[in-house]
Amino acid sequence: GREAILQGEDSPNEEDKSLRPQSISEMVGQLEVRERLKVVVDAAVKRDEPLGHILFDGPPGLGKTTFATCIPKDLGVNFQLTSGPALQAPKDLIPYLTNADEKSILFIDEIHRLPKSVEEYLYTAMEDFRIDIVLGEGTNARTINLQVKPFTLIGATTRSGMLTAPLRDRFPLREHLDFYTHEELAEIIRRNSRKLDVTIEDDASLEISERSRGTPRVANNRLRWIRDYVTSKADGHISLQLARDAMAMQEIDALGLDNQDRKYLTTIIRVFGGGPAGVEAIAHTMNAAPETLADEVEPFLLRTELLVRTPRGRMVTTKAVEHIQTHIGR
Ligand code: ATP
């Protein structure tokens, strides 16, 4: 078959890829999601049909891209990758659709950022595997209707609420990825320590997992930093104490919050009297992008009940106030 075309990848560095599972069976956690995927994958293989389109949603770093890259590997089919912001007009999408082999996977990351025109162009491609192409210009222009090979679209979004209903409805399987448990993250940390060729105590991997905001990508970042720390300051073995010292140096607190998370909470407390405050106003005060706050900071704070969302805006909880006080008191 044709070689997979990798384009427009704005994702992590090489090292992140080296830690990425290569097959769904290598993935940790997300059990229900993996079981449902296994059903549709098995059925597609048995019927020798393309897999139905799949939509993944959830906060960043929970494994949407990992799922999207493991599925084609497990199926032994080609894979193309692009993203919503890279597809500015229908013509940007055409090469992907015409290059797609039968049963291959086309992954569109940040699919909620597709312009309306591209989204509408996708509808018939997803439903009937047909696209319209305009040949020529001006009065000579004519439209031809082209059949493309039956492919599978995998979409990923941090904001399923921003998807239009017609697009969402075209995905027969929609999966929400939720935060990981401490035990699951500890398992990821143990496995990745082996991949990074560093030894680690069990209590250290648990401590790191408890301070990784339920997110594998965060756990990997913590682990890499701690590996550097123990290599620089000690003999390269990760003990509980060294893990704690390394995270203290990065100002990661007991709940796993970093400076940006705490700055968000203190801004609401100090500037907005604890809230309610709109995310735009908070972002403006912090000199941050509202999207970053909504995607990367708020989900975990909401999940851990440090923050609540009300119709009038974001409010911190008593738990958040107490946490900030103890942190500053230290
Ligand atoms: P984004 O929305 O930013 O693209 P994402 O949800 O696609 O984020 P990934 O890039 O798939 O997140 O995951 C980040 C890293 O976390 C991966 O490179 C991988 O090392 C690790 N990871 C994610 N999910 C799992 C898992 N279930 N098991 C093991 N490792 C995982």
Side-chain angles (χ1 to χ4, degrees):
R2 199 181 289 114
E3 258 184 61
I5 299 164
L6 292 169
Q7 235 178 305
E9 185 163 24
D10 56 357
S11 79
N13 47 39
E14 282 305 313
E15 246 196 317
D16 202 11
K17 281 184 209 151
S18 74
L19 296 182
R20 184 166 272 160
Q22 300 298 306
S23 144
I24 292 179
S25 64
E26 273 178 42
M27 291 180 73
V28 175
Q30 307 292 355
L31 218 70
E32 292 84 1
V33 177
R34 284 161 56 193
E35 277 170 0
R36 281 190 291 269
L37 281 174
K38 191 169 156 28
V39 170
V40 291
V41 166
D42 283 349
V45 169
K46 281 191 184 156
R47 285 199 298 260
D48 196 23
E49 279 175 3
L51 189 63
H53 308 303
I54 304 171
L55 181 69
F56 289 109
D57 84 87
L62 297 187
K64 297 182 293 295
T65 304
T66 303
F67 270 114
T69 53
C70 285
I71 291 169
K73 282 185 186 142
D74 287 354
L75 283 168
V77 299
N78 280 342
F79 174 70
Q80 300 184 87
L81 179 150
T82 182
S83 72
L87 301 168
Q88 281 311 304
K91 70 167 174 38
D92 300 325
L93 188 59
I94 291 170
Y96 292 102
L97 297 174
T98 53
N99 281 339
D101 289 330
E102 192 165 339
K103 301 189 202 114
S104 70
I105 306 281
L106 171 59
F107 175 48
I108 304 184
D109 202 3
E110 296 188 79
I111 196 163
H112 60 279
R113 292 177 64 188
L114 280 182
K116 187 109 203 85
S117 63
V118 181
E119 180 182 319
E120 283 168 356
Y121 197 78
L122 254 185
Y123 294 164
T124 55
M126 289 174 77
E127 242 167 32
D128 308 323
F129 305 112
R130 303 192 71 86
I131 54 172
D132 284 332
I133 293 182
V134 181
L135 294 178
E137 275 173 24
T139 48
N140 289 326
R142 59 196 177 91
T143 304
I144 58 163
N145 191 265
L146 197 76
Q147 185 86 44
V148 296
K149 303 208 181 85
F151 66 99
T152 301
L153 181 71
I154 300 185
T157 176
T158 47
R159 311 273 186 94
S160 63
M162 272 175 65
L163 283 194
T164 64
L167 181 59
R168 206 168 43 231
D169 292 346
R170 283 175 169 79
F171 290 96
L173 191 64
R174 298 190 284 270
E175 291 294 352
H176 174 72
L177 300 189
D178 216 327
F179 291 108
Y180 290 65
T181 65
H182 294 158
E183 288 70 28
E184 288 163 351
L185 287 183
E187 174 62 20
I188 292 175
I189 290 164
R190 278 192 294 270
R191 289 186 189 189
N192 289 346
S193 301
R194 283 195 289 276
K195 287 192 193 168
L196 292 172
D197 209 12
V198 61
T199 52
I200 184 165
E201 305 275 330
D202 274 346
D203 52 4
S205 40
L206 201 59
E207 178 86 8
I208 302 167
S209 74
E210 284 166 3
R211 299 213 224 163
S212 293
R213 291 207 255 107
T215 308
R217 178 177 296 148
V218 174
N220 286 345
N221 290 342
R222 302 265 188 274
L223 178 61
R224 269 200 217 93
W225 161 254
I226 296 166
R227 181 178 70 144
D228 284 350
Y229 184 91
V230 300
T231 306
S232 160
K233 302 236 181 213
D235 62 358
H237 173 74
I238 303 176
S239 67
L240 177 60
Q241 191 55 51
L242 285 169
R244 283 183 176 154
D245 295 346
M247 288 190 281
M249 194 171 172
Q250 267 199 336
E251 300 182 46
I252 295 153
D253 65 32
L255 296 179
L257 308 190
D258 58 23
N259 276 326
Q260 171 158 270
D261 301 319
R262 285 189 302 270
K263 188 172 171 196
Y264 174 91
L265 293 173
T266 47
T267 301
I268 301 182
I269 294 169
R270 292 218 188 106
V271 183
F272 299 98
V279 68
E280 261 85 25
I282 303 166
H284 192 74
T285 311
M286 287 176 67
N287 199 12
E291 296 79 37
T292 312
L293 297 184
D295 280 359
E296 288 170 27
V297 176
E298 293 185 333
F300 182 72
L301 300 178
L302 289 164
R303 164 73 183 240
T304 48
E305 297 175 353
L306 294 163
L307 183 74
V308 287
R309 279 169 80 162
T310 73
R312 287 177 303 135
R314 278 67 166 162
M315 281 179 78
V316 298
T317 61
T318 325
K319 185 179 166 188
V321 176
E322 284 166 3
H323 178 69
I324 291 298
Q325 275 166 353
T326 50
H327 187 84
I328 290 167
R330 254 194 258 145

